[in-house]
Amino acid sequence: MNAEILTVGTELLLGQIVDTNAAFIAERLAEAGIDVYCKTTVGDNPARIETALRQALARAQVVLCTGGLGPTEDDLTRDVVAAVTGRPLRLDPAVLAQIRARFARRGIPMAKNNERQAQVPEGAEVLENPRGTAPGLLLRVEPDRTVVLLPGVPAEMRPMLTEVVLPRLREAYGLKGQIRSRVLRTTGVSESKVDELLGDLWAERNPTIALLARSGEIHVRLTAKAEGEAELTRLLDGREAAVRERLGDIIFGRDEESLEVVVGRLLRERRLTLAVAESCTGGLLGHRITNVPGSSAYFDRGLVAYSNQAKTALLGVPAELLAARGAVSAEVAAAMAEGMRAAAGTDLALGVTGIAGPAGGTPEKPVGLTYIALAHAGGVAAHEFRFFTDRDLNKQRAAQMALDLVRRHLLGLPPVPIL
């Protein structure tokens, strides 16, 4: 079985919003064992929507469309699909009642144009949308085609796809094979180094291996295909064990597990607290740590000490040290971490200082040079990093390496230089 994805919206073509719907749908279809050969995006233009839909129906058994189901004049997908499939639109009283009830619950009047969303192509199955006013629609088209219309709002589209549409497609087309992916997240190493470490595992099939480069991370994606969950789990567990044997402790998490979540869990398990003193990262480190729900259990405070005066006044970094070694130096990073730990009274404290760029570098201290220090009961150690990218990426990678220093310290591992 194969499928195509058609996303509708002029805002997608203008680049005003990122088309996350197509990526989500493609991933879920792959997991269900459904091949996707083509994805198309068109604007809110009826002729172009019609052309794209007719082409998709000529190639694929299932066409999934998102967007264009709203109440406004430029929401045209429903009308075009009705015309292409030869199903006249009819007002569905049950759908209209649901829309009216939704407005009543919110205590606001329903606009007249919301009635358009109750227009349903004849013979279509209505897919209830408890999270919005645009119902989904599923149409069987002879001889062996299915058109699915989904809302464009991701929070409405995603549960409708996974909870309603995919079970119907699996049943209708007798799908047995499933594809499942698992992601192992590494940090502190380059993509080429991970490639080298994996060695002959690249030749293996089912599960296959793919590398995905992210900011400060390399993800190793394992993808298996089988007919049941037990077999999928067996295949993925076996390949994950082999990859972990090759990559070791540079793997910090799996799937959606971020580095700050891992660090938070380790701190909580050990009943330790953390504070951070940031210069070049400008609060990014504290932001990531506090993005984790429950971080107040282990995170005491964060301080952005950007100027030399702030480093001296708030962290006790000696002015003489700043003058002698410069703000971007191992000695100042260490003094920032020690000063932060003393001020906060925490078990651990980080100090981060560097040259984010694009200006401010010198031959001796180029843009991207960063020092990160971790202070703890056993002392303080500062580490040098050279990121050599743009300002945003330098900040992101500094925060990433700072978190990884904490992780490695808590696990009793040596700090790893970027490879």
Side-chain angles (χ1 to χ4, degrees):
M1 174 188 172
N2 66 329
E4 289 199 18
I5 301 167
L6 175 60
T7 56
V8 180
T10 302
E11 67 277 12
L12 299 172
L13 295 179
L14 294 175
Q16 294 168 339
I17 64 171
V18 176
D19 184 8
T20 58
N21 280 351
F24 182 86
I25 295 170
E27 190 172 8
R28 297 290 88 78
L29 291 175
E31 289 175 354
I34 301 172
D35 296 317
V36 177
Y37 295 141
C38 190
K39 293 190 287 187
T40 305
T41 300
V42 294
D44 301 311
N45 179 290
R48 292 170 198 148
I49 297 172
E50 178 178 341
T51 299
L53 179 61
R54 289 189 185 281
Q55 291 174 342
L57 283 170
R59 295 185 294 242
Q61 290 172 282
V62 177
V63 180
L64 296 105
C65 309
T66 67
L69 300 183
T72 61
E73 291 297 323
D74 60 353
D75 288 310
L76 302 165
T77 306
R78 183 190 311 102
D79 304 67
V80 173
V81 169
V84 170
T85 58
R87 311 284 190 88
L89 288 168
R90 311 283 190 203
L91 182 69
D92 188 316
V95 173
L96 182 58
Q98 290 173 359
I99 296 172
R100 283 181 169 151
R102 181 175 180 79
F103 278 95
R105 286 195 299 272
R106 297 177 61 194
I108 57 177
M110 188 186 87
K112 179 68 175 175
N113 60 5
N114 280 104
E115 292 184 3
R116 295 187 65 226
Q117 295 179 289
Q119 295 286 338
V120 174
E122 192 172 85
E125 179 183 357
V126 175
L127 311 177
E128 187 177 351
N129 179 7
R131 299 168 182 81
T133 58
L137 298 167
L138 189 149
L139 294 84
R140 308 283 187 192
V141 184
E142 294 298 333
D144 181 29
R145 295 289 187 267
T146 301
V147 179
V148 180
L149 307 188
L150 297 165
V153 178
E156 300 174 24
M157 182 279 291
R158 293 182 178 197
M160 188 179 293
L161 175 71
T162 57
E163 297 168 11
V164 180
V165 174
L166 289 177
R168 280 168 169 70
L169 293 179
R170 293 182 64 82
E171 181 180 1
Y173 290 90
L175 298 175
K176 294 183 179 178
Q178 299 179 55
I179 296 175
R180 191 78 72 245
S181 291
R182 186 178 293 176
V183 174
L184 303 177
R185 303 173 68 156
T186 75
T187 194
V189 291
S190 66
E191 186 175 15
S192 58
K193 186 64 178 178
V194 173
D195 174 86
E196 179 183 289
L197 290 171
L198 290 175
D200 60 343
L201 290 181
W202 282 106
E204 301 289 335
R205 291 291 179 268
N206 200 26
T208 59
I209 294 177
L211 298 187
L212 307 170
R214 298 287 185 267
S215 178
E217 299 181 10
I218 302 299
H219 294 182
V220 182
R221 188 184 65 203
L222 315 177
T223 303
K225 187 171 186 177
E227 289 197 359
E229 285 293 337
E231 180 63 5
L232 282 170
T233 301
R234 187 190 69 79
L235 289 169
L236 289 170
D237 284 351
R239 189 55 47 83
E240 177 178 340
V243 171
R244 285 185 179 276
E245 186 177 353
R246 304 290 178 91
L247 302 187
D249 56 36
I250 64 172
I251 297 174
F252 69 84
R254 198 173 88 172
D255 294 331
E256 301 304 316
E257 193 176 39
S258 67
L259 189 51
E260 49 267 41
V261 167
V262 173
V263 168
R265 187 182 67 245
L266 293 172
L267 287 167
R268 187 190 293 273
E269 289 172 354
R270 289 157 176 74
R271 300 180 183 278
L272 297 175
T273 54
L274 173 69
V276 299
E278 303 182 63
S279 184
C280 63
T281 43
L284 177 61
L285 185 52
H287 172 71
R288 286 185 59 175
I289 293 170
T290 55
N291 274 343
V292 180
S295 53
S296 59
Y298 49 82
F299 184 64
D300 180 86
R301 70 189 70 178
L303 173 66
V304 179
Y306 213 60
S307 68
N308 286 354
Q309 292 84 348
K311 292 179 178 67
T312 298
L314 302 175
L315 295 170
V317 179
E320 299 78 12
L321 180 64
L322 285 160
R325 307 302 301 177
V328 180
S329 62
E331 293 83 356
V332 167
M336 291 173 64
E338 288 182 311
M340 190 72 253
R341 184 167 180 265
T346 50
D347 298 296
L348 306 173
L350 283 163
V352 184
T353 179
I355 305 169
T362 66
E364 294 76 24
K365 293 186 177 182
V367 168
L369 177 66
T370 302
Y371 292 93
I372 304 172
L374 177 64
H376 49 83
V380 62
H383 305 274
E384 178 181 304
F385 299 90
R386 294 172 180 254
F387 302 119
F388 298 145
T389 54
D390 63 26
R391 184 178 183 85
D392 184 55
L393 283 176
N394 283 336
K395 294 172 67 175
Q396 290 183 38
R397 291 182 179 179
Q400 182 79 358
M401 288 301 99
L403 287 168
D404 199 45
L405 277 178
V406 177
R407 178 186 74 97
R408 301 186 72 84
H409 171 77
L410 294 173
L411 292 173
L413 302 169
V416 171
I418 296 178
L419 299 174

